[in-house]
Amino acid sequence: MKGVILDSQTLKPTELDFSALENELPHWTYYEQTGPDDVKNRLHGATVAITNKVVIDEEALAAAPDLKLIGISATGTNNVDLDAARRRGVVVCNVSGYGTETVAQHTLALALGLATRWHQYDRDARQAWPRSTMFCRMDYPVFDLSGKTLGLIGHGALGGRVEELAKAFGMRVLVARSMRPDAVPDPARVPLEQLLAEADLISLHCPLTEHTDKLVNRDFLAAMKAGAGLINTARGGLVDEPALAEALRSGHLGGAALDVLSQEPPPADHPLLADDLPNLIITPHSAWVSTESRQRLLDGVVANLRAWKAGRPINVVNG
């Protein structure tokens, strides 16, 4: 059996231990990146394909008759045609939970950034401080997280971990009711309207679905508590980005901190990359990229491959 990794660069192999993966098959071919025109050729003759973001559609599957397993080195599955894979007898598995600690850590770092304005004070330490007549700078408002209210939209393993960390900072936490039509009502959760009105910070941890697409729109932002902040480490499509830029410029929002945008990498003229947006922190989809997180992800890929070889596949997303 032969295996191919279509976008190994997404894992940064030089920092990880690939020995367990390599021991599972006698032959592996690594490609740092794979463009759309190369997918079919690189899948040819492979029994197992590992992909993070490379698209494997019906046309690519039709050109890969030997393919039996697709291991997605991520949680999201929208880059693989699951129905076409199922029709061709190709098992597709994903990995979840590998980034819980890392993304929760990053979420709190973004919250701290909005609270302390360190990103702006860091810049001013180099530009304004040397000319200051005072020993300190107090140009930007700073607030304590302790005593503030954090609103969570999405409360799986990641949202739950963020809640634990926020409470360690002395924050009150509200969790919004699920937006899934089939969700069982949970009396411990609050209506979205209440969360928007009371939260000093809102953090998104829900999936991007037809029910949550552009969830954070003009009406959502207008209903937020004046001066509140928004954090998004989930999916860029949850946010109406021009509306967010408008809310920041108007001063209604106290700030926003994002790790994801609707297009990645973004175009240079993306509305949230403008220079005139106050108190905006953007990190380049890096919340998950700790070495520990990426090794857990790789270990999850290995576990999926090992289970499939044993005839008992796990984490199947097209069964």
Coordinates of all heavy atoms in Angstrom, one line a residue, residues 23-115:
N23 N 5.5 4.2 9.9 CA 5.6 2.7 10.2 C 4.3 2.0 9.8 O 4.3 0.8 9.7 CB 5.8 2.5 11.7 CG 7.2 2.8 12.1 OD1 8.1 2.9 11.3 ND2 7.4 3.1 13.4
E24 N 3.2 2.8 9.5 CA 2.0 2.2 9.1 C 1.9 1.7 7.7 O 1.1 0.8 7.4 CB 0.8 3.1 9.4 CG 0.6 3.4 10.9 CD 0.2 2.1 11.7 OE1 -0.6 1.3 11.1 OE2 0.7 1.9 12.8
L25 N 2.6 2.3 6.8 CA 2.6 1.9 5.4 C 4.1 1.8 4.9 O 5.0 2.6 5.4 CB 1.9 3.0 4.5 CG 0.4 3.2 4.7 CD1 -0.2 4.2 3.8 CD2 -0.3 1.8 4.6
P26 N 4.3 1.0 3.9 CA 5.7 0.8 3.5 C 6.2 2.0 2.6 O 7.5 2.1 2.5 CB 5.7 -0.5 2.7 CG 4.2 -0.6 2.2 CD 3.4 0.0 3.3
H27 N 5.3 2.7 2.1 CA 5.8 3.8 1.2 C 5.0 5.1 1.3 O 3.7 5.0 1.2 CB 5.8 3.4 -0.3 CG 6.3 4.4 -1.2 ND1 7.6 4.7 -1.4 CD2 5.6 5.2 -2.1 CE1 7.7 5.7 -2.3 NE2 6.5 6.0 -2.7
W28 N 5.6 6.2 1.6 CA 4.9 7.5 1.7 C 5.6 8.5 0.7 O 6.8 8.5 0.5 CB 5.0 8.1 3.1 CG 4.1 7.4 4.1 CD1 4.4 6.5 5.0 CD2 2.7 7.7 4.3 NE1 3.3 6.1 5.7 CE2 2.3 6.9 5.3 CE3 1.8 8.6 3.7 CZ2 1.0 6.9 5.8 CZ3 0.5 8.6 4.1 CH2 0.1 7.8 5.2
T29 N 4.7 9.3 0.1 CA 5.2 10.4 -0.7 C 4.7 11.7 -0.1 O 3.5 11.8 0.2 CB 4.8 10.4 -2.1 OG1 5.2 9.1 -2.7 CG2 5.3 11.5 -3.0
Y30 N 5.6 12.7 0.2 CA 5.2 13.9 0.9 C 5.2 15.0 -0.2 O 6.2 15.2 -0.9 CB 6.2 14.3 2.0 CG 6.1 13.5 3.2 CD1 6.5 12.1 3.2 CD2 5.7 14.0 4.4 CE1 6.5 11.3 4.3 CE2 5.7 13.2 5.6 CZ 6.1 11.9 5.5 OH 6.1 11.2 6.7
Y31 N 4.2 15.8 -0.2 CA 4.1 17.1 -1.0 C 3.8 18.2 -0.1 O 2.9 18.2 0.7 CB 3.0 17.0 -2.1 CG 3.3 15.9 -3.1 CD1 2.6 14.7 -3.1 CD2 4.2 16.1 -4.1 CE1 2.8 13.7 -4.0 CE2 4.5 15.1 -5.1 CZ 3.7 13.9 -5.0 OH 4.0 12.9 -6.0
E32 N 4.7 19.3 -0.1 CA 4.4 20.4 0.8 C 3.1 21.0 0.5 O 2.3 21.4 1.4 CB 5.6 21.4 0.6 CG 6.9 20.9 1.2 CD 7.9 22.1 1.2 OE1 7.6 23.2 0.7 OE2 9.0 21.9 1.8
Q33 N 2.8 21.2 -0.8 CA 1.5 21.8 -1.2 C 1.1 21.1 -2.5 O 1.9 20.6 -3.3 CB 1.6 23.3 -1.4 CG 1.8 24.1 -0.2 CD 1.9 25.6 -0.5 OE1 2.6 26.1 -1.4 NE2 1.1 26.4 0.3
T34 N -0.2 21.1 -2.8 CA -0.7 20.5 -4.0 C -1.8 21.4 -4.6 O -2.8 21.7 -4.0 CB -1.3 19.1 -3.8 OG1 -0.3 18.2 -3.3 CG2 -1.9 18.5 -5.0
G35 N -1.5 21.9 -5.8 CA -2.5 22.8 -6.5 C -3.6 21.9 -7.1 O -3.4 20.7 -7.3
P36 N -4.7 22.6 -7.5 CA -5.8 21.8 -8.1 C -5.4 21.0 -9.3 O -6.0 19.9 -9.5 CB -6.8 23.0 -8.5 CG -6.4 24.1 -7.6 CD -4.9 24.0 -7.4
D37 N -4.5 21.5 -10.1 CA -4.2 20.8 -11.3 C -3.3 19.5 -11.1 O -3.1 18.7 -12.0 CB -3.4 21.7 -12.3 CG -4.3 22.8 -12.8 OD1 -5.5 22.7 -12.8 OD2 -3.7 23.9 -13.2
D38 N -2.8 19.4 -9.9 CA -1.9 18.3 -9.5 C -2.5 17.2 -8.7 O -1.9 16.1 -8.5 CB -0.7 18.8 -8.8 CG 0.2 19.7 -9.6 OD1 0.4 19.5 -10.8 OD2 0.7 20.8 -9.0
V39 N -3.7 17.4 -8.3 CA -4.4 16.4 -7.3 C -4.5 15.1 -8.0 O -4.1 14.0 -7.4 CB -5.8 17.0 -6.9 CG1 -6.4 15.9 -6.0 CG2 -5.6 18.3 -6.1
K40 N -5.1 15.0 -9.2 CA -5.3 13.7 -9.8 C -4.0 12.9 -10.0 O -3.9 11.7 -9.7 CB -6.0 13.9 -11.1 CG -7.5 14.3 -11.0 CD -8.3 14.2 -12.3 CE -7.9 15.3 -13.2 NZ -8.7 15.4 -14.4
N41 N -3.0 13.6 -10.5 CA -1.7 12.9 -10.7 C -1.1 12.4 -9.4 O -0.5 11.3 -9.3 CB -0.7 13.8 -11.4 CG -1.0 14.0 -12.8 OD1 -1.7 13.2 -13.4 ND2 -0.5 15.1 -13.4
R42 N -1.2 13.1 -8.3 CA -0.6 12.8 -7.0 C -1.4 11.7 -6.3 O -0.8 11.0 -5.4 CB -0.4 14.0 -6.2 CG 0.7 14.9 -6.8 CD 0.9 16.2 -6.0 NE 2.0 17.0 -6.7 CZ 2.5 18.1 -6.2 NH1 2.0 18.6 -5.1 NH2 3.5 18.7 -6.8
L43 N -2.7 11.6 -6.6 CA -3.5 10.5 -6.0 C -3.3 9.2 -6.8 O -3.7 8.1 -6.2 CB -5.0 10.9 -6.0 CG -5.4 12.0 -5.0 CD1 -6.9 12.3 -5.2 CD2 -5.1 11.6 -3.6
H44 N -2.8 9.3 -8.0 CA -2.7 8.0 -8.8 C -1.8 7.0 -8.1 O -0.7 7.3 -7.7 CB -2.1 8.4 -10.1 CG -2.0 7.2 -11.1 ND1 -3.2 6.6 -11.7 CD2 -1.0 6.4 -11.5 CE1 -2.8 5.6 -12.4 NE2 -1.5 5.4 -12.3
G45 N -2.4 5.8 -7.9 CA -1.6 4.7 -7.3 C -1.6 4.7 -5.8 O -1.1 3.7 -5.2
A46 N -2.2 5.7 -5.2 CA -2.2 5.8 -3.7 C -3.4 5.0 -3.1 O -4.5 5.1 -3.6 CB -2.2 7.3 -3.3
T47 N -3.1 4.3 -2.0 CA -4.2 3.7 -1.3 C -4.7 4.6 -0.2 O -5.9 4.5 0.1 CB -3.6 2.4 -0.6 OG1 -2.9 1.6 -1.6 CG2 -4.8 1.6 0.0
V48 N -3.9 5.4 0.4 CA -4.2 6.3 1.4 C -3.8 7.7 1.1 O -2.6 7.9 0.6 CB -3.6 5.9 2.8 CG1 -3.8 6.9 3.9 CG2 -4.0 4.5 3.2
A49 N -4.7 8.7 1.3 CA -4.3 10.1 1.0 C -4.6 10.9 2.3 O -5.6 10.7 2.9 CB -5.1 10.7 -0.1
I50 N -3.6 11.7 2.7 CA -3.8 12.6 3.8 C -3.9 14.0 3.3 O -3.0 14.5 2.5 CB -2.6 12.5 4.8 CG1 -2.4 11.1 5.2 CG2 -2.9 13.4 6.0 CD1 -3.5 10.4 5.9
T51 N -4.9 14.8 3.7 CA -5.1 16.1 3.2 C -5.6 17.0 4.4 O -6.4 16.5 5.2 CB -6.1 16.2 2.0 OG1 -6.3 17.6 1.7 CG2 -7.5 15.6 2.4
N52 N -5.2 18.2 4.4 CA -5.7 19.2 5.3 C -6.7 20.1 4.6 O -7.9 20.2 4.9 CB -4.6 20.0 6.0 CG -5.1 21.0 7.0 OD1 -5.8 21.9 6.7 ND2 -4.7 20.8 8.2
K53 N -6.2 20.8 3.6 CA -7.1 21.7 2.8 C -7.2 21.4 1.4 O -8.0 22.0 0.7 CB -6.5 23.2 3.0 CG -6.6 23.7 4.4 CD -8.1 24.0 4.8 CE -8.2 24.6 6.2 NZ -7.8 23.7 7.3
V54 N -6.4 20.5 0.8 CA -6.4 20.2 -0.6 C -7.8 19.6 -0.9 O -8.2 18.6 -0.2 CB -5.3 19.2 -1.0 CG1 -5.5 18.8 -2.5 CG2 -4.0 19.9 -0.8
V55 N -8.4 20.0 -1.9 CA -9.8 19.6 -2.3 C -9.7 18.3 -3.1 O -8.9 18.1 -4.1 CB -10.5 20.6 -3.2 CG1 -11.8 20.1 -3.7 CG2 -10.7 21.9 -2.4
I56 N -10.4 17.3 -2.6 CA -10.5 16.0 -3.3 C -12.0 15.9 -3.7 O -12.9 15.5 -2.9 CB -10.1 14.8 -2.4 CG1 -8.6 15.0 -2.0 CG2 -10.3 13.5 -3.2 CD1 -8.1 13.9 -1.1
D57 N -12.3 16.2 -5.0 CA -13.7 16.2 -5.5 C -14.0 14.9 -6.2 O -13.1 14.0 -6.3 CB -13.9 17.4 -6.3 CG -13.0 17.5 -7.5 OD1 -12.3 16.5 -7.9 OD2 -12.9 18.7 -8.0
E58 N -15.2 14.8 -6.8 CA -15.6 13.6 -7.5 C -14.7 13.3 -8.7 O -14.3 12.1 -9.0 CB -17.0 13.8 -8.0 CG -17.6 12.5 -8.6 CD -19.1 12.5 -8.8 OE1 -19.7 13.6 -8.7 OE2 -19.7 11.4 -9.0
E59 N -14.2 14.3 -9.4 CA -13.3 14.1 -10.5 C -12.0 13.5 -10.1 O -11.5 12.6 -10.7 CB -13.1 15.4 -11.3 CG -12.2 15.3 -12.5 CD -12.0 16.6 -13.2 OE1 -12.6 17.6 -12.8 OE2 -11.3 16.7 -14.2
A60 N -11.5 14.0 -9.0 CA -10.2 13.5 -8.5 C -10.4 12.1 -8.0 O -9.5 11.2 -8.2 CB -9.7 14.4 -7.3
L61 N -11.5 11.8 -7.4 CA -11.8 10.4 -6.9 C -11.9 9.4 -8.1 O -11.4 8.3 -8.0 CB -13.0 10.4 -6.0 CG -12.9 11.0 -4.7 CD1 -14.3 11.3 -4.1 CD2 -12.2 10.1 -3.7
A62 N -12.5 9.9 -9.1 CA -12.7 9.0 -10.3 C -11.3 8.6 -10.9 O -11.2 7.6 -11.5 CB -13.6 9.7 -11.3
A63 N -10.3 9.5 -10.8 CA -9.0 9.2 -11.3 C -8.1 8.5 -10.4 O -6.9 8.3 -10.7 CB -8.4 10.6 -11.7
A64 N -8.7 8.1 -9.2 CA -7.8 7.4 -8.2 C -8.5 6.1 -7.8 O -9.0 5.9 -6.7 CB -7.7 8.3 -7.0
P65 N -8.5 5.1 -8.7 CA -9.2 3.8 -8.4 C -8.6 3.0 -7.3 O -9.3 2.2 -6.7 CB -9.1 3.0 -9.7 CG -7.9 3.6 -10.4 CD -7.9 5.1 -10.0
D66 N -7.4 3.2 -6.9 CA -6.7 2.5 -5.8 C -7.0 3.1 -4.5 O -6.7 2.5 -3.5 CB -5.2 2.4 -6.1 CG -4.8 1.7 -7.4 OD1 -5.5 0.7 -7.6 OD2 -4.0 2.2 -8.1
L67 N -7.6 4.3 -4.4 CA -7.7 5.0 -3.2 C -8.8 4.3 -2.3 O -9.9 4.0 -2.8 CB -8.1 6.4 -3.4 CG -8.1 7.4 -2.3 CD1 -6.7 7.6 -1.7 CD2 -8.6 8.8 -2.7
K68 N -8.4 4.1 -1.0 CA -9.4 3.4 -0.1 C -9.6 4.2 1.1 O -10.6 4.0 1.8 CB -8.8 2.0 0.3 CG -8.5 1.1 -0.9 CD -9.8 0.8 -1.6 CE -9.5 -0.2 -2.8 NZ -10.7 -0.4 -3.6
L69 N -8.7 5.1 1.5 CA -8.9 5.9 2.7 C -8.4 7.3 2.5 O -7.3 7.5 1.9 CB -8.1 5.3 3.9 CG -8.0 6.1 5.2 CD1 -9.4 6.1 5.8 CD2 -7.0 5.5 6.1
I70 N -9.2 8.3 2.9 CA -8.8 9.7 3.0 C -8.7 10.1 4.4 O -9.8 10.0 5.1 CB -9.7 10.6 2.2 CG1 -9.7 10.2 0.7 CG2 -9.3 12.1 2.4 CD1 -10.8 11.0 -0.1
G71 N -7.6 10.5 4.9 CA -7.4 11.0 6.2 C -7.4 12.5 6.2 O -6.4 13.1 5.6
I72 N -8.4 13.1 6.8 CA -8.4 14.6 6.8 C -7.6 15.0 8.1 O -8.0 14.7 9.2 CB -9.8 15.2 6.8 CG1 -10.5 14.7 5.6 CG2 -9.7 16.7 6.9 CD1 -12.0 15.2 5.5
S73 N -6.5 15.7 7.9 CA -5.7 16.2 9.0 C -6.3 17.5 9.5 O -5.6 18.5 9.6 CB -4.2 16.3 8.6 OG -4.1 17.2 7.5
A74 N -7.6 17.5 9.9 CA -8.3 18.6 10.4 C -9.6 18.1 10.9 O -9.9 16.9 10.7 CB -8.5 19.7 9.3
T75 N -10.5 19.0 11.4 CA -11.8 18.6 11.8 C -12.8 18.9 10.7 O -13.7 18.1 10.4 CB -12.2 19.4 13.0 OG1 -11.3 19.2 14.1 CG2 -13.6 19.0 13.5
G76 N -12.7 20.0 10.0 CA -13.6 20.3 8.9 C -13.4 19.4 7.7 O -12.3 18.9 7.4
T77 N -14.5 19.1 7.1 CA -14.5 18.1 6.0 C -15.0 18.6 4.6 O -15.2 17.9 3.7 CB -15.5 16.9 6.4 OG1 -16.8 17.4 6.5 CG2 -15.0 16.3 7.7
N78 N -15.2 20.0 4.5 CA -15.8 20.5 3.3 C -14.8 20.5 2.1 O -15.3 20.8 1.0 CB -16.2 22.0 3.6 CG -15.0 22.9 4.0 OD1 -14.2 22.5 4.8 ND2 -14.9 24.0 3.3
N79 N -13.6 20.0 2.3 CA -12.7 19.9 1.1 C -12.7 18.6 0.5 O -12.1 18.4 -0.5 CB -11.2 20.2 1.6 CG -10.7 19.3 2.6 OD1 -11.4 19.0 3.6 ND2 -9.5 18.8 2.5
V80 N -13.6 17.7 1.0 CA -13.7 16.3 0.4 C -15.2 16.1 0.0 O -16.0 16.4 0.8 CB -13.2 15.2 1.4 CG1 -13.4 13.8 0.8 CG2 -11.7 15.4 1.7
D81 N -15.4 15.6 -1.2 CA -16.7 15.2 -1.6 C -17.1 13.9 -0.9 O -16.8 12.8 -1.4 CB -16.8 15.0 -3.1 CG -18.2 14.9 -3.6 OD1 -19.1 14.3 -2.9 OD2 -18.5 15.3 -4.8
L82 N -17.8 14.0 0.2 CA -18.0 12.8 1.1 C -19.0 11.9 0.4 O -18.8 10.6 0.5 CB -18.6 13.3 2.4 CG -17.8 14.2 3.2 CD1 -18.5 14.6 4.5 CD2 -16.4 13.6 3.5
D83 N -20.0 12.4 -0.3 CA -20.9 11.5 -1.0 C -20.2 10.7 -2.1 O -20.4 9.5 -2.3 CB -22.1 12.3 -1.6 CG -23.0 12.8 -0.5 OD1 -23.0 12.3 0.6 OD2 -23.6 13.9 -0.8
A84 N -19.4 11.4 -2.9 CA -18.7 10.7 -4.0 C -17.7 9.6 -3.4 O -17.6 8.6 -4.0 CB -17.9 11.7 -4.8
A85 N -17.1 10.0 -2.3 CA -16.2 9.0 -1.7 C -16.9 7.8 -1.2 O -16.5 6.6 -1.4 CB -15.4 9.7 -0.5
R86 N -18.1 8.0 -0.6 CA -18.9 6.9 -0.1 C -19.3 6.0 -1.3 O -19.2 4.7 -1.2 CB -20.1 7.4 0.7 CG -20.9 6.2 1.2 CD -22.0 6.7 2.1 NE -22.9 7.6 1.4 CZ -23.0 9.0 1.6 NH1 -22.2 9.5 2.5 NH2 -23.8 9.7 0.9
R87 N -19.7 6.6 -2.4 CA -20.2 5.8 -3.5 C -19.0 4.9 -4.1 O -19.3 3.8 -4.6 CB -20.7 6.7 -4.6 CG -22.0 7.4 -4.3 CD -22.7 8.0 -5.5 NE -21.8 9.0 -6.2 CZ -21.9 10.3 -5.9 NH1 -22.8 10.7 -4.9 NH2 -21.1 11.2 -6.5
R88 N -17.8 5.4 -4.0 CA -16.7 4.7 -4.5 C -16.0 3.8 -3.4 O -14.9 3.2 -3.7 CB -15.6 5.7 -5.1 CG -16.2 6.4 -6.3 CD -15.2 7.4 -6.9 NE -15.7 7.9 -8.1 CZ -15.7 7.4 -9.3 NH1 -15.1 6.2 -9.4 NH2 -16.2 8.0 -10.3
G89 N -16.6 3.7 -2.3 CA -16.1 2.8 -1.2 C -14.8 3.4 -0.6 O -14.1 2.6 0.0
V90 N -14.7 4.7 -0.6 CA -13.5 5.3 0.0 C -13.9 5.8 1.4 O -14.9 6.6 1.5 CB -13.0 6.5 -0.8 CG1 -11.8 7.1 -0.1 CG2 -12.6 6.0 -2.2
V91 N -13.3 5.3 2.4 CA -13.6 5.8 3.8 C -12.9 7.1 4.1 O -11.7 7.3 3.7 CB -13.1 4.7 4.8 CG1 -13.2 5.2 6.3 CG2 -13.8 3.4 4.6
V92 N -13.6 8.0 4.7 CA -13.0 9.4 5.0 C -13.1 9.6 6.5 O -14.2 9.4 7.1 CB -13.8 10.5 4.3 CG1 -13.1 11.8 4.6 CG2 -13.9 10.2 2.8
C93 N -12.0 9.9 7.1 CA -11.9 10.1 8.6 C -11.3 11.5 8.9 O -10.5 11.9 8.1 CB -11.1 9.0 9.2 SG -11.6 7.3 8.9
N94 N -11.8 12.1 9.9 CA -11.2 13.3 10.4 C -10.7 13.2 11.8 O -10.7 12.2 12.4 CB -12.2 14.5 10.3 CG -13.3 14.4 11.3 OD1 -13.5 13.3 11.9 ND2 -14.0 15.5 11.5
V95 N -10.1 14.3 12.3 CA -9.6 14.3 13.6 C -10.2 15.6 14.4 O -10.2 16.7 13.8 CB -8.0 14.4 13.6 CG1 -7.5 14.4 15.1 CG2 -7.4 13.4 12.8
S96 N -10.6 15.4 15.6 CA -11.1 16.5 16.3 C -10.5 16.5 17.7 O -9.9 15.5 18.2 CB -12.7 16.4 16.5 OG -13.0 15.2 17.1
G97 N -10.6 17.6 18.4 CA -10.2 17.8 19.8 C -8.7 18.0 20.0 O -8.3 18.3 21.1
Y98 N -7.9 18.0 18.9 CA -6.5 18.1 19.0 C -6.1 19.5 19.5 O -5.0 19.7 20.1 CB -5.8 17.8 17.7 CG -6.2 18.6 16.5 CD1 -5.7 19.8 16.2 CD2 -7.3 18.1 15.8 CE1 -6.1 20.5 15.1 CE2 -7.8 18.9 14.7 CZ -7.2 20.0 14.4 OH -7.7 20.8 13.3
G99 N -6.9 20.5 19.1 CA -6.5 21.9 19.4 C -7.2 22.6 20.6 O -7.1 23.8 20.7
T100 N -7.9 21.8 21.3 CA -8.7 22.4 22.4 C -7.9 23.3 23.3 O -8.2 24.4 23.6 CB -9.5 21.3 23.2 OG1 -10.3 20.6 22.3 CG2 -10.3 21.9 24.3
E101 N -6.8 22.7 23.9 CA -6.0 23.5 24.8 C -5.4 24.7 24.2 O -5.4 25.8 24.7 CB -4.9 22.6 25.4 CG -5.4 21.5 26.4 CD -6.2 22.1 27.6 OE1 -5.8 23.2 28.1 OE2 -7.1 21.5 28.1
T102 N -4.9 24.5 23.0 CA -4.2 25.6 22.3 C -5.1 26.7 21.9 O -4.8 27.9 22.0 CB -3.5 25.0 21.0 OG1 -2.7 23.9 21.4 CG2 -2.6 26.0 20.4
V103 N -6.3 26.4 21.3 CA -7.2 27.4 20.9 C -7.8 28.1 22.1 O -8.0 29.4 22.0 CB -8.3 26.8 19.9 CG1 -9.3 27.9 19.5 CG2 -7.6 26.2 18.7
A104 N -8.1 27.4 23.1 CA -8.6 28.0 24.3 C -7.6 29.0 24.9 O -7.9 30.1 25.3 CB -8.9 27.0 25.4
Q105 N -6.3 28.6 24.9 CA -5.2 29.5 25.3 C -5.2 30.8 24.5 O -5.1 31.9 25.0 CB -3.9 28.7 25.2 CG -2.7 29.5 25.4 CD -1.4 28.7 25.2 OE1 -1.0 28.0 26.2 NE2 -0.8 28.7 24.1
H106 N -5.3 30.6 23.2 CA -5.3 31.7 22.2 C -6.5 32.6 22.5 O -6.3 33.9 22.4 CB -5.2 31.2 20.8 CG -4.8 32.2 19.8 ND1 -3.5 32.5 19.5 CD2 -5.5 33.1 19.1 CE1 -3.4 33.4 18.6 NE2 -4.6 33.8 18.3
T107 N -7.6 32.0 22.7 CA -8.8 32.8 23.0 C -8.6 33.7 24.2 O -9.0 34.9 24.1 CB -10.0 31.9 23.2 OG1 -10.2 31.1 22.0 CG2 -11.3 32.7 23.5
L108 N -8.0 33.2 25.2 CA -7.8 34.0 26.4 C -6.7 35.1 26.2 O -6.8 36.2 26.7 CB -7.4 33.1 27.6 CG -8.6 32.8 28.5 CD1 -9.1 34.0 29.3 CD2 -9.7 32.1 27.8
A109 N -5.7 34.7 25.3 CA -4.7 35.7 24.9 C -5.4 36.9 24.2 O -5.0 38.0 24.4 CB -3.6 35.0 24.1
L110 N -6.3 36.6 23.3 CA -7.0 37.6 22.6 C -7.8 38.5 23.6 O -7.9 39.7 23.5 CB -7.9 37.1 21.5 CG -7.1 36.4 20.4 CD1 -8.1 35.8 19.4 CD2 -6.2 37.3 19.7
A111 N -8.5 37.8 24.5 CA -9.3 38.5 25.5 C -8.4 39.5 26.3 O -8.7 40.6 26.6 CB -10.0 37.6 26.5
L112 N -7.2 39.0 26.7 CA -6.2 39.8 27.4 C -5.7 40.9 26.6 O -5.5 42.0 27.1 CB -5.1 38.9 27.9 CG -5.4 38.0 29.1 CD1 -4.3 36.9 29.2 CD2 -5.5 38.8 30.4
G113 N -5.6 40.7 25.3 CA -5.2 41.7 24.4 C -6.2 42.9 24.4 O -5.8 44.1 24.4
L114 N -7.4 42.5 24.3 CA -8.5 43.6 24.2 C -8.5 44.3 25.6 O -8.8 45.5 25.6 CB -9.8 42.9 23.9 CG -10.0 42.4 22.5 CD1 -11.4 41.8 22.3 CD2 -9.8 43.4 21.4
A115 N -8.3 43.6 26.7 CA -8.4 44.2 28.0 C -7.2 45.1 28.3 O -7.3 46.1 28.9 CB -8.5 43.1 29.1

